[in-house]
Coordinates of all heavy atoms in Angstrom, one line a residue:
M49 N 4.0 -3.2 3.0 CA 3.1 -3.8 2.1 C 2.3 -2.8 1.4 O 1.3 -2.1 2.1 CB 2.1 -4.8 2.9 CG 2.8 -6.1 3.2 SD 1.6 -7.1 4.1 CE 1.6 -6.4 5.7
E50 N 2.6 -2.5 0.3 CA 1.9 -1.4 -0.5 C 0.3 -1.8 -0.6 O 0.0 -2.9 -1.0 CB 2.5 -1.3 -1.9 CG 2.0 0.0 -2.6 CD 2.7 0.3 -3.9 OE1 3.9 -0.2 -4.0 OE2 2.1 0.8 -4.8
G51 N -0.6 -0.8 -0.4 CA -1.9 -1.0 -0.5 C -2.6 -1.6 0.7 O -3.9 -1.8 0.7
F52 N -1.8 -2.0 1.7 CA -2.4 -2.6 2.9 C -2.4 -1.6 4.1 O -1.4 -0.7 4.2 CB -1.6 -3.8 3.2 CG -2.1 -5.0 2.5 CD1 -1.6 -5.2 1.2 CD2 -2.9 -6.0 2.9 CE1 -2.0 -6.3 0.4 CE2 -3.4 -7.0 2.2 CZ -2.9 -7.2 1.0
Q53 N -3.3 -1.5 4.9 CA -3.4 -0.7 6.0 C -3.4 -1.6 7.4 O -4.2 -2.4 7.5 CB -4.6 0.1 6.0 CG -4.8 1.1 7.1 CD -6.3 1.8 6.9 OE1 -6.6 2.1 5.8 NE2 -6.8 2.2 8.0
C54 N -2.6 -1.2 8.3 CA -2.5 -1.9 9.6 C -3.8 -1.4 10.4 O -4.2 -0.2 10.5 CB -1.3 -1.5 10.4 SG -1.2 -2.3 12.0
V55 N -4.6 -2.5 10.8 CA -5.8 -2.2 11.5 C -5.9 -2.7 12.8 O -6.8 -2.3 13.7 CB -7.0 -2.8 10.7 CG1 -7.1 -2.1 9.3 CG2 -6.9 -4.3 10.5
A56 N -5.1 -3.6 13.3 CA -5.1 -4.2 14.6 C -3.8 -5.1 14.9 O -3.1 -5.4 13.9 CB -6.3 -5.0 14.8
T57 N -3.7 -5.5 16.1 CA -2.7 -6.5 16.3 C -3.5 -7.9 16.4 O -4.7 -7.8 16.6 CB -2.0 -6.3 17.7 OG1 -2.9 -6.4 18.8 CG2 -1.2 -4.9 17.7
V58 N -2.8 -8.9 16.3 CA -3.3 -10.3 16.3 C -4.0 -10.4 17.7 O -5.1 -11.0 17.7 CB -2.3 -11.3 16.0 CG1 -2.8 -12.7 16.4 CG2 -1.8 -11.2 14.7
E59 N -3.4 -10.0 18.8 CA -3.9 -10.0 20.1 C -5.3 -9.4 20.3 O -6.1 -9.8 21.1 CB -3.0 -9.6 21.1 CG -1.7 -10.5 21.3 CD -0.7 -10.2 20.2 OE1 -0.7 -9.1 19.6 OE2 0.1 -11.2 19.9
E60 N -5.5 -8.3 19.5 CA -6.7 -7.5 19.6 C -8.0 -8.3 19.1 O -9.1 -7.9 19.4 CB -6.6 -6.3 18.9 CG -5.7 -5.3 19.6 CD -5.6 -4.0 18.7 OE1 -6.5 -3.1 18.8 OE2 -4.7 -3.8 18.0
I61 N -7.8 -9.4 18.3 CA -8.8 -10.1 17.6 C -8.6 -11.5 17.9 O -8.0 -12.3 17.1 CB -8.9 -9.9 16.2 CG1 -8.8 -8.3 15.9 CG2 -10.3 -10.4 15.6 CD1 -8.9 -8.0 14.4
P62 N -8.9 -12.0 19.1 CA -8.6 -13.5 19.5 C -9.5 -14.3 18.6 O -10.5 -13.9 18.0 CB -9.1 -13.6 20.9 CG -9.4 -12.2 21.4 CD -9.5 -11.3 20.3
P63 N -9.2 -15.6 18.6 CA -10.0 -16.6 17.9 C -11.5 -16.6 18.3 O -11.7 -16.5 19.5 CB -9.4 -18.0 18.2 CG -8.0 -17.6 18.4 CD -8.0 -16.3 19.1
G64 N -12.4 -16.6 17.3 CA -13.8 -16.5 17.5 C -14.4 -15.1 17.7 O -15.6 -14.9 17.9
Q65 N -13.5 -14.2 17.6 CA -13.9 -12.7 17.8 C -13.8 -12.0 16.5 O -13.4 -12.4 15.5 CB -13.0 -12.0 18.8 CG -13.0 -12.7 20.1 CD -14.5 -12.6 20.8 OE1 -15.0 -11.5 20.9 NE2 -15.0 -13.8 21.2
V66 N -14.4 -10.7 16.5 CA -14.5 -9.8 15.4 C -14.2 -8.4 15.8 O -14.6 -8.1 17.0 CB -15.8 -9.9 14.6 CG1 -17.0 -9.5 15.6 CG2 -15.9 -9.1 13.4
K67 N -13.6 -7.6 14.9 CA -13.3 -6.2 15.2 C -13.7 -5.4 14.0 O -13.4 -5.8 12.9 CB -11.9 -6.1 15.6 CG -11.6 -4.6 16.0 CD -10.1 -4.3 16.3 CE -9.9 -2.8 16.6 NZ -8.6 -2.6 17.1
V68 N -14.4 -4.3 14.3 CA -14.8 -3.4 13.3 C -13.6 -2.3 13.1 O -13.2 -1.7 14.1 CB -16.1 -2.7 13.4 CG1 -16.4 -1.7 12.3 CG2 -17.3 -3.8 13.5
V69 N -13.2 -2.1 11.9 CA -12.1 -1.2 11.6 C -12.6 -0.3 10.5 O -13.5 -0.6 9.7 CB -10.8 -1.9 11.3 CG1 -10.3 -2.8 12.5 CG2 -10.9 -2.7 10.0
K70 N -11.9 0.8 10.3 CA -12.1 1.7 9.1 C -11.0 1.5 8.0 O -9.9 1.6 8.4 CB -12.1 3.2 9.5 CG -13.4 3.7 10.2 CD -14.3 4.2 9.2 CE -15.4 4.9 10.1 NZ -16.7 4.8 9.4
V71 N -11.4 1.3 7.0 CA -10.5 1.2 5.8 C -11.0 2.0 4.6 O -12.2 1.7 4.1 CB -10.3 -0.2 5.3 CG1 -9.3 -0.3 4.1 CG2 -9.6 -1.1 6.4
N72 N -10.4 3.1 4.2 CA -10.9 3.9 3.1 C -12.3 4.4 3.4 O -13.2 4.3 2.5 CB -10.9 3.2 1.7 CG -9.4 2.9 1.4 OD1 -8.5 3.7 1.7 ND2 -9.2 1.8 0.7
E73 N -12.5 4.9 4.7 CA -13.8 5.4 5.0 C -14.9 4.4 5.2 O -16.1 4.8 5.3 CB -14.3 6.6 4.1 CG -13.2 7.6 3.8 CD -13.1 8.5 5.0 OE1 -14.0 8.8 5.8 OE2 -11.9 8.9 5.3
R74 N -14.7 3.1 5.0 CA -15.6 2.1 5.2 C -15.4 1.3 6.4 O -14.4 1.0 6.8 CB -15.6 1.1 4.0 CG -15.9 1.9 2.7 CD -16.2 0.9 1.6 NE -17.7 1.0 1.4 CZ -18.3 0.4 0.6 NH1 -17.7 -0.4 -0.3 NH2 -19.6 0.4 0.5
D75 N -16.5 0.8 7.0 CA -16.5 -0.1 8.2 C -16.2 -1.5 7.7 O -17.1 -2.0 6.9 CB -17.8 -0.1 9.0 CG -17.9 1.3 9.9 OD1 -16.8 1.8 10.1 OD2 -19.0 1.6 10.2
I76 N -15.2 -2.1 8.1 CA -14.8 -3.5 7.8 C -14.9 -4.3 8.9 O -14.2 -3.9 10.0 CB -13.5 -3.5 7.1 CG1 -13.4 -2.5 5.9 CG2 -13.1 -4.9 6.6 CD1 -14.3 -2.7 4.7
A77 N -15.4 -5.4 8.9 CA -15.4 -6.5 9.9 C -14.3 -7.4 9.7 O -14.2 -8.1 8.7 CB -16.7 -7.2 10.2
V78 N -13.4 -7.5 10.7 CA -12.3 -8.4 10.6 C -12.5 -9.5 11.5 O -12.7 -9.3 12.8 CB -10.9 -7.7 10.9 CG1 -9.7 -8.8 10.8 CG2 -10.7 -6.6 10.0
F79 N -12.7 -10.8 11.0 CA -13.0 -12.0 11.8 C -11.7 -12.8 12.0 O -11.0 -13.0 11.1 CB -14.0 -12.9 11.1 CG -15.3 -12.2 10.9 CD1 -15.6 -11.3 9.9 CD2 -16.4 -12.5 11.8 CE1 -16.8 -10.7 9.7 CE2 -17.6 -11.9 11.7 CZ -17.8 -11.0 10.7
N80 N -11.6 -13.4 13.3 CA -10.6 -14.4 13.4 C -11.2 -15.7 13.6 O -11.9 -15.9 14.7 CB -9.8 -14.1 14.7 CG -8.7 -15.1 15.0 OD1 -8.7 -16.2 14.5 ND2 -7.7 -14.6 15.8
I81 N -11.2 -16.5 12.6 CA -11.8 -17.9 12.6 C -10.8 -18.9 12.8 O -9.9 -19.2 11.8 CB -12.6 -18.2 11.4 CG1 -13.7 -17.1 11.1 CG2 -13.3 -19.5 11.4 CD1 -14.8 -16.8 12.0
E82 N -10.6 -19.5 13.9 CA -9.6 -20.6 14.2 C -8.2 -20.1 13.8 O -7.4 -20.8 13.3 CB -9.9 -21.9 13.6 CG -11.2 -22.4 13.9 CD -11.7 -23.6 13.3 OE1 -11.1 -24.1 12.3 OE2 -12.8 -24.2 13.6
G83 N -7.9 -18.8 14.2 CA -6.5 -18.3 13.8 C -6.3 -17.7 12.4 O -5.2 -17.3 12.2
R84 N -7.3 -17.9 11.6 CA -7.2 -17.3 10.2 C -8.1 -16.0 10.1 O -9.2 -16.1 10.7 CB -7.7 -18.3 9.2 CG -6.8 -19.5 9.3 CD -6.6 -20.3 8.0 NE -6.2 -19.4 6.9 CZ -6.1 -19.8 5.7 NH1 -6.2 -21.1 5.4 NH2 -5.8 -19.1 4.8
F85 N -7.6 -15.0 9.5 CA -8.3 -13.7 9.6 C -8.9 -13.4 8.2 O -8.3 -13.7 7.2 CB -7.3 -12.6 9.9 CG -6.7 -12.6 11.2 CD1 -5.7 -13.4 11.7 CD2 -7.3 -11.8 12.3 CE1 -5.2 -13.5 13.0 CE2 -6.9 -11.9 13.6 CZ -5.9 -12.7 14.0
H86 N -10.1 -12.9 8.3 CA -11.0 -12.6 7.1 C -11.5 -11.3 7.3 O -12.0 -10.9 8.4 CB -12.0 -13.7 6.9 CG -11.4 -15.1 7.0 ND1 -10.8 -15.7 5.9 CD2 -11.4 -16.0 8.0 CE1 -10.5 -16.9 6.2 NE2 -10.8 -17.1 7.5
A87 N -11.7 -10.5 6.2 CA -12.4 -9.2 6.3 C -13.4 -9.0 5.3 O -13.2 -9.3 4.1 CB -11.3 -8.1 6.1
I88 N -14.6 -8.6 5.7 CA -15.7 -8.2 4.8 C -16.3 -6.8 5.2 O -16.0 -6.4 6.3 CB -16.8 -9.3 4.8 CG1 -17.4 -9.4 6.3 CG2 -16.3 -10.6 4.3 CD1 -18.7 -10.4 6.3
Y89 N -17.0 -6.3 4.2 CA -17.7 -5.1 4.4 C -18.7 -5.4 5.6 O -19.4 -6.4 5.6 CB -18.5 -4.7 3.2 CG -19.1 -3.3 3.3 CD1 -18.5 -2.2 3.9 CD2 -20.4 -3.2 2.8 CE1 -19.1 -1.0 3.9 CE2 -21.1 -1.9 2.9 CZ -20.5 -0.8 3.5 OH -21.1 0.3 3.6
N90 N -18.9 -4.4 6.6 CA -19.6 -4.7 7.8 C -21.2 -4.4 7.6 O -21.9 -4.6 8.6 CB -19.0 -3.8 9.0 CG -19.7 -4.2 10.3 OD1 -19.7 -5.4 10.6 ND2 -20.1 -3.3 11.0
S91 N -21.6 -4.0 6.5 CA -23.0 -3.6 6.4 C -23.7 -4.7 5.4 O -23.3 -4.9 4.3 CB -23.1 -2.3 5.7 OG -24.4 -1.9 5.6
C92 N -24.7 -5.3 5.9 CA -25.6 -6.2 5.1 C -26.2 -5.4 3.9 O -26.7 -4.4 4.2 CB -26.6 -6.8 6.0 SG -27.7 -8.0 5.1
P93 N -26.1 -6.1 2.8 CA -26.7 -5.2 1.6 C -28.3 -5.2 1.6 O -28.8 -4.4 0.9 CB -26.2 -6.1 0.4 CG -25.9 -7.4 0.9 CD -25.5 -7.2 2.3
H94 N -28.9 -6.0 2.3 CA -30.3 -6.0 2.5 C -30.8 -4.7 3.0 O -31.5 -3.9 2.4 CB -30.8 -7.2 3.2 CG -32.3 -7.2 3.4 ND1 -32.9 -7.3 4.5 CD2 -33.3 -7.3 2.5 CE1 -34.2 -7.3 4.4 NE2 -34.5 -7.3 3.2
E95 N -30.5 -4.4 4.4 CA -31.0 -3.2 4.9 C -29.9 -2.6 5.9 O -30.2 -1.8 6.7 CB -32.3 -3.4 5.7 CG -33.4 -3.7 4.8 CD -34.8 -3.7 5.6 OE1 -34.8 -3.4 6.7 OE2 -35.8 -3.9 4.9
G96 N -28.6 -3.0 5.6 CA -27.5 -2.3 6.4 C -27.2 -2.9 7.7 O -26.7 -2.1 8.6
G97 N -27.7 -4.1 8.1 CA -27.5 -4.6 9.3 C -26.0 -4.8 9.6 O -25.2 -5.0 8.7
P98 N -25.5 -4.6 10.9 CA -24.2 -4.6 11.3 C -23.6 -6.1 11.5 O -24.0 -6.7 12.4 CB -24.1 -3.9 12.7 CG -25.5 -4.1 13.2 CD -26.4 -4.1 12.1
L99 N -22.9 -6.6 10.4 CA -22.6 -8.0 10.5 C -21.7 -8.4 11.6 O -21.7 -9.5 12.0 CB -21.9 -8.3 9.1 CG -22.8 -8.1 7.9 CD1 -22.0 -8.4 6.6 CD2 -24.0 -9.0 8.0
H100 N -20.9 -7.5 12.1 CA -20.1 -7.8 13.3 C -20.8 -8.2 14.5 O -20.4 -8.9 15.4 CB -19.1 -6.7 13.6 CG -19.7 -5.5 14.4 ND1 -20.6 -4.6 13.8 CD2 -19.7 -5.2 15.7 CE1 -21.0 -3.7 14.7 NE2 -20.5 -4.1 15.8
K101 N -22.1 -7.8 14.5 CA -23.0 -8.2 15.7 C -23.8 -9.6 15.4 O -24.5 -10.0 16.2 CB -24.0 -7.2 16.0 CG -23.4 -5.9 16.5 CD -24.4 -5.0 17.0 CE -23.7 -3.7 17.6 NZ -24.7 -2.8 18.1
G102 N -23.5 -10.1 14.2 CA -24.3 -11.3 13.8 C -23.6 -12.6 14.4 O -22.4 -12.5 15.0
R103 N -24.4 -13.7 14.4 CA -23.8 -15.0 14.9 C -22.9 -15.7 13.9 O -23.1 -15.7 12.7 CB -25.0 -15.8 15.3 CG -24.6 -17.3 15.9 CD -25.9 -18.0 15.9 NE -26.5 -17.8 14.7 CZ -27.5 -18.4 14.0 NH1 -28.1 -19.4 14.7 NH2 -28.0 -18.2 12.9
V104 N -21.8 -16.2 14.4 CA -20.8 -16.8 13.5 C -20.9 -18.3 13.7 O -20.9 -18.8 14.8 CB -19.4 -16.3 13.6 CG1 -18.4 -17.0 12.7 CG2 -19.3 -14.8 13.3
K105 N -21.1 -19.0 12.6 CA -21.1 -20.5 12.7 C -20.1 -21.1 11.6 O -20.4 -20.8 10.4 CB -22.5 -21.1 12.5 CG -22.5 -22.6 12.7 CD -23.9 -23.1 12.7 CE -24.0 -24.5 13.0 NZ -25.4 -25.1 13.0
G106 N -19.0 -21.6 12.0 CA -18.0 -22.0 11.0 C -17.4 -20.8 10.3 O -16.9 -19.9 11.0
H107 N -17.6 -20.7 9.0 CA -17.2 -19.5 8.2 C -18.3 -18.6 7.8 O -18.1 -17.8 7.0 CB -16.4 -19.9 7.0 CG -15.0 -20.5 7.4 ND1 -14.8 -21.9 7.5 CD2 -13.8 -20.0 7.8 CE1 -13.6 -22.1 7.8 NE2 -12.9 -20.9 8.0
V108 N -19.5 -18.8 8.4 CA -20.6 -18.0 7.9 C -21.0 -17.1 9.1 O -21.3 -17.6 10.2 CB -21.7 -19.0 7.6 CG1 -23.0 -18.3 7.2 CG2 -21.2 -19.8 6.3
V109 N -21.3 -15.9 8.8 CA -21.9 -14.9 9.7 C -23.4 -14.6 9.2 O -23.7 -14.5 8.0 CB -21.1 -13.6 9.8 CG1 -21.0 -12.9 8.5 CG2 -21.6 -12.7 10.9
S110 N -24.2 -14.5 10.2 CA -25.7 -14.2 10.0 C -26.0 -12.8 10.3 O -25.5 -12.3 11.4 CB -26.6 -15.1 10.8 OG -26.4 -16.4 10.6
C111 N -26.6 -12.0 9.4 CA -27.0 -10.7 9.8 C -28.0 -10.7 11.0 O -28.8 -11.6 11.0 CB -27.7 -10.0 8.6 SG -28.3 -8.4 8.9
P112 N -27.7 -9.9 12.0 CA -28.5 -9.9 13.1 C -29.9 -9.4 12.9 O -30.8 -9.6 13.8 CB -27.7 -9.0 14.2 CG -27.0 -8.1 13.3 CD -26.6 -8.8 12.0
W113 N -30.1 -8.7 11.8 CA -31.5 -8.1 11.6 C -32.5 -9.1 10.9 O -33.6 -9.2 11.2 CB -31.4 -6.9 10.8 CG -30.8 -5.7 11.5 CD1 -30.3 -5.7 12.9 CD2 -30.5 -4.4 11.1 NE1 -29.7 -4.4 13.2 CE2 -30.0 -3.7 12.1 CE3 -30.7 -3.8 9.8 CZ2 -29.5 -2.3 12.0 CZ3 -30.4 -2.5 9.6 CH2 -29.9 -1.8 10.7
H114 N -32.0 -9.7 9.8 CA -32.8 -10.6 9.1 C -32.3 -11.9 8.7 O -32.8 -12.6 7.8 CB -33.3 -9.8 7.8 CG -34.1 -8.6 8.0 ND1 -33.4 -7.3 7.8 CD2 -35.2 -8.3 8.5 CE1 -34.3 -6.5 8.2 NE2 -35.3 -6.9 8.6
D115 N -31.2 -12.3 9.4 CA -30.6 -13.6 9.3 C -30.0 -14.0 7.9 O -29.8 -15.2 7.6 CB -31.6 -14.7 9.7 CG -30.9 -15.9 10.3 OD1 -29.9 -15.7 11.0 OD2 -31.4 -17.0 10.1
L116 N -29.8 -13.0 7.0 CA -29.0 -13.3 5.8 C -27.6 -13.8 6.2 O -27.1 -13.3 7.1 CB -29.0 -12.1 4.9 CG -30.2 -11.7 4.2 CD1 -30.1 -10.5 3.3 CD2 -30.8 -12.9 3.3
K117 N -27.1 -14.7 5.4 CA -25.8 -15.3 5.8 C -24.8 -15.1 4.6 O -25.1 -15.2 3.5 CB -26.1 -16.9 6.0 CG -26.9 -17.2 7.2 CD -27.3 -18.6 7.2 CE -28.1 -19.1 8.4 NZ -29.2 -18.2 8.6
F118 N -23.6 -14.9 5.2 CA -22.4 -14.6 4.3 C -21.2 -15.3 4.7 O -20.9 -15.5 6.0 CB -22.1 -13.0 4.3 CG -23.2 -12.3 4.0 CD1 -24.1 -11.8 5.0 CD2 -23.6 -11.9 2.6 CE1 -25.2 -11.0 4.7 CE2 -24.7 -11.2 2.3 CZ -25.6 -10.7 3.2
D119 N -20.4 -15.8 3.8 CA -19.2 -16.6 4.0 C -18.1 -15.4 4.3 O -17.9 -14.6 3.4 CB -18.8 -17.5 2.8 CG -17.6 -18.3 3.1 OD1 -16.7 -17.9 3.9 OD2 -17.6 -19.5 2.6
V120 N -17.5 -15.4 5.5 CA -16.5 -14.4 5.8 C -15.3 -14.6 4.9 O -14.4 -13.6 4.9 CB -16.2 -14.4 7.2 CG1 -17.4 -14.1 8.1 CG2 -15.5 -15.6 7.7
R121 N -15.0 -15.7 4.3 CA -13.8 -15.9 3.5 C -13.9 -15.1 2.2 O -12.9 -14.8 1.6 CB -13.5 -17.4 3.3 CG -13.3 -18.2 4.6 CD -13.3 -19.6 4.4 NE -14.6 -20.1 4.0 CZ -14.9 -21.4 3.8 NH1 -14.0 -22.3 4.0 NH2 -16.1 -21.7 3.6
N122 N -15.1 -15.0 1.6 CA -15.2 -14.4 0.3 C -16.3 -13.5 0.1 O -16.5 -12.8 -0.9 CB -15.3 -15.4 -0.8 CG -16.4 -16.4 -0.6 OD1 -17.4 -16.0 0.0 ND2 -16.3 -17.6 -1.0
G123 N -17.2 -13.2 1.1 CA -18.3 -12.3 1.1 C -19.5 -12.8 0.4 O -20.6 -12.1 0.3
Q124 N -19.5 -14.0 -0.1 CA -20.7 -14.5 -0.9 C -21.7 -14.9 0.0 O -21.5 -15.5 1.2 CB -20.2 -15.9 -1.7 CG -19.1 -15.6 -2.7 CD -19.7 -14.6 -3.8 OE1 -20.7 -14.8 -4.5 NE2 -19.0 -13.5 -4.1
G125 N -22.9 -14.5 -0.4 CA -24.2 -15.0 0.4 C -24.3 -16.5 0.3 O -24.0 -17.1 -0.8
T126 N -24.8 -17.1 1.2 CA -25.0 -18.6 1.3 C -26.4 -19.0 1.3 O -26.7 -20.2 1.3 CB -24.4 -19.2 2.6 OG1 -24.9 -18.7 3.7 CG2 -22.8 -18.8 2.7
D127 N -27.4 -18.0 1.1 CA -28.8 -18.3 1.2 C -29.4 -18.5 -0.2 O -30.5 -18.8 -0.3 CB -29.6 -17.1 1.9 CG -29.1 -16.9 3.3 OD1 -28.0 -17.0 3.5 OD2 -30.1 -16.6 4.0
G128 N -28.6 -18.2 -1.3 CA -29.1 -18.4 -2.5 C -30.0 -17.2 -3.1 O -30.6 -17.3 -4.1
G129 N -30.0 -16.1 -2.3 CA -30.7 -15.0 -2.7 C -30.1 -13.9 -3.6 O -30.6 -12.9 -4.0
G130 N -28.8 -14.2 -3.9 CA -28.0 -13.2 -4.7 C -27.3 -12.1 -3.9 O -26.6 -11.4 -4.6
Y131 N -27.4 -12.1 -2.7 CA -26.8 -11.0 -1.9 C -25.3 -11.4 -1.6 O -25.0 -12.6 -1.5 CB -27.4 -10.7 -0.5 CG -28.7 -10.1 -0.5 CD1 -29.9 -10.7 -0.3 CD2 -28.9 -8.7 -0.8 CE1 -31.2 -10.0 -0.3 CE2 -30.0 -8.0 -0.8 CZ -31.2 -8.7 -0.6 OH -32.3 -8.1 -0.7
C132 N -24.4 -10.5 -1.6 CA -23.0 -10.6 -1.2 C -22.5 -9.4 -0.7 O -23.2 -8.3 -0.8 CB -22.2 -11.3 -2.3 SG -22.0 -10.1 -3.8
V133 N -21.4 -9.4 0.1 CA -20.7 -8.2 0.5 C -19.2 -8.3 0.1 O -18.7 -9.3 -0.2 CB -20.8 -8.1 2.1 CG1 -22.1 -8.0 2.6 CG2 -20.1 -9.4 2.7
G134 N -18.7 -7.2 0.1 CA -17.3 -7.1 -0.4 C -16.3 -7.8 0.6 O -16.6 -7.7 1.8
S135 N -15.4 -8.4 0.1 CA -14.4 -9.0 0.9 C -12.9 -8.4 0.6 O -12.8 -7.9 -0.4 CB -14.3 -10.6 0.7 OG -13.9 -10.8 -0.6
Y136 N -12.2 -8.4 1.5 CA -10.8 -7.8 1.5 C -9.6 -8.7 1.8 O -9.8 -9.6 2.6 CB -10.8 -6.6 2.5 CG -11.9 -5.6 2.2 CD1 -13.2 -5.8 2.5 CD2 -11.6 -4.4 1.5 CE1 -14.2 -4.8 2.1 CE2 -12.5 -3.5 1.1 CZ -13.8 -3.6 1.6 OH -14.7 -2.8 1.2
D137 N -8.6 -8.5 1.1 CA -7.3 -9.2 1.4 C -6.9 -8.9 2.8 O -6.9 -7.7 3.2 CB -6.2 -8.9 0.5 CG -6.6 -9.6 -0.9 OD1 -7.1 -10.7 -1.1 OD2 -6.1 -8.9 -2.0
V138 N -6.4 -10.0 3.5 CA -5.9 -9.8 4.9 C -4.5 -10.4 4.9 O -4.3 -11.5 4.4 CB -6.7 -10.5 6.0 CG1 -6.2 -10.2 7.3 CG2 -8.2 -9.8 5.9
R139 N -3.5 -9.8 5.5 CA -2.2 -10.3 5.7 C -1.8 -10.2 7.2 O -2.2 -9.1 7.9 CB -1.2 -9.6 4.8 CG -1.4 -10.0 3.4 CD -0.3 -9.5 2.5 NE -0.6 -9.7 1.1 CZ 0.0 -9.2 0.1 NH1 1.0 -8.3 0.3 NH2 -0.3 -9.4 -1.1
I140 N -1.0 -11.0 7.6 CA -0.5 -11.0 9.0 C 1.0 -10.8 8.9 O 1.6 -11.6 8.1 CB -0.8 -12.1 9.9 CG1 -2.2 -12.4 9.8 CG2 -0.3 -12.0 11.3 CD1 -3.1 -11.3 10.4
E141 N 1.6 -9.8 9.6 CA 3.1 -9.6 9.5 C 3.5 -9.0 10.9 O 2.9 -8.0 11.3 CB 3.4 -8.6 8.4 CG 4.9 -8.5 8.3 CD 5.2 -7.8 7.0 OE1 4.9 -8.3 5.8 OE2 5.9 -6.8 7.0
G142 N 4.4 -9.6 11.5 CA 5.0 -9.1 12.8 C 4.0 -9.0 13.8 O 4.0 -8.0 14.7
G143 N 3.0 -9.8 13.9 CA 2.0 -9.8 14.8 C 0.9 -8.7 14.6 O 0.1 -8.4 15.4
E144 N 0.8 -8.1 13.3 CA -0.1 -7.1 13.1 C -1.0 -7.6 11.9 O -0.7 -8.3 11.1 CB 0.6 -5.9 12.7 CG 1.3 -5.2 13.9 CD 2.0 -3.8 13.5 OE1 2.7 -3.8 12.4 OE2 1.9 -2.8 14.3
V145 N -2.2 -7.1 11.9 CA -3.2 -7.5 11.0 C -3.3 -6.4 10.0 O -3.7 -5.1 10.4 CB -4.7 -7.7 11.6 CG1 -5.7 -8.1 10.6 CG2 -4.5 -8.8 12.7
F146 N -3.2 -6.6 8.7 CA -3.3 -5.6 7.7 C -4.4 -6.0 6.7 O -4.6 -7.1 6.4 CB -2.0 -5.6 6.8 CG -0.7 -5.1 7.6 CD1 -0.1 -5.9 8.4 CD2 -0.4 -3.8 7.5 CE1 1.1 -5.5 9.0 CE2 0.8 -3.3 8.1 CZ 1.4 -4.2 8.9
V147 N -5.2 -4.9 6.3 CA -6.3 -5.2 5.4 C -5.9 -4.4 4.1 O -5.5 -3.3 4.2 CB -7.6 -4.7 5.9 CG1 -8.7 -4.7 4.9 CG2 -8.0 -5.5 7.2
G148 N -6.1 -5.1 2.9 CA -5.8 -4.5 1.6 C -7.0 -4.0 0.9 O -8.1 -3.9 1.4
A149 N -6.8 -4.1 -0.4 CA -7.9 -3.6 -1.3 C -9.1 -4.5 -1.4 O -8.9 -5.8 -1.1 CB -7.4 -3.3 -2.7
R150 N -10.3 -4.1 -1.7 CA -11.4 -5.0 -1.9 C -11.1 -5.9 -3.0 O -10.5 -5.5 -4.0 CB -12.6 -4.2 -2.2 CG -13.9 -5.0 -2.4 CD -15.1 -4.2 -2.7 NE -16.2 -5.0 -2.9 CZ -17.4 -4.7 -3.2 NH1 -17.6 -3.4 -3.3 NH2 -18.3 -5.5 -3.5
R151 N -11.4 -7.2 -2.8 CA -11.2 -8.2 -3.9 C -12.2 -8.0 -5.0 O -13.3 -7.6 -4.8 CB -11.4 -9.6 -3.3 CG -10.4 -10.0 -2.3 CD -10.6 -11.4 -1.9 NE -9.6 -11.8 -0.8 CZ -10.0 -12.5 0.3 NH1 -11.2 -12.8 0.5 NH2 -9.2 -12.6 1.2
K152 N -11.7 -8.4 -6.2 CA -12.6 -8.3 -7.4 C -13.4 -9.6 -7.4 O -12.8 -10.7 -7.2 CB -11.7 -8.2 -8.7 CG -10.8 -6.9 -8.6 CD -11.6 -5.6 -8.7 CE -10.6 -4.5 -8.8 NZ -11.1 -3.3 -8.2
V153 N -14.6 -9.5 -7.8 CA -15.5 -10.7 -7.9 C -15.2 -11.4 -9.2 O -15.0 -10.9 -10.1 CB -17.0 -10.3 -7.7 CG1 -17.9 -11.5 -7.8 CG2 -17.2 -9.5 -6.4

């Protein structure tokens, strides 16, 4: 898969869990939500809070520092404040999780 980097096995990120990986020198949070994998930039744009430490409800993660919320499927802020984070394509192949390039908004 050209442009994709293997970051974990499926078993390393069980449903309801998140793992931080490095892709192109950036910390990316890979979430497993009910067996579907999603990847977003791990740093909240407000003050850099580590999103992987936030509470996940449905498809929304809350920043642990100031409670800003982001949809892990696309990185869009759900609070209406205009904040968003980069989201990344994810593919599963042969039991491995691959993260690709940042999606264009």
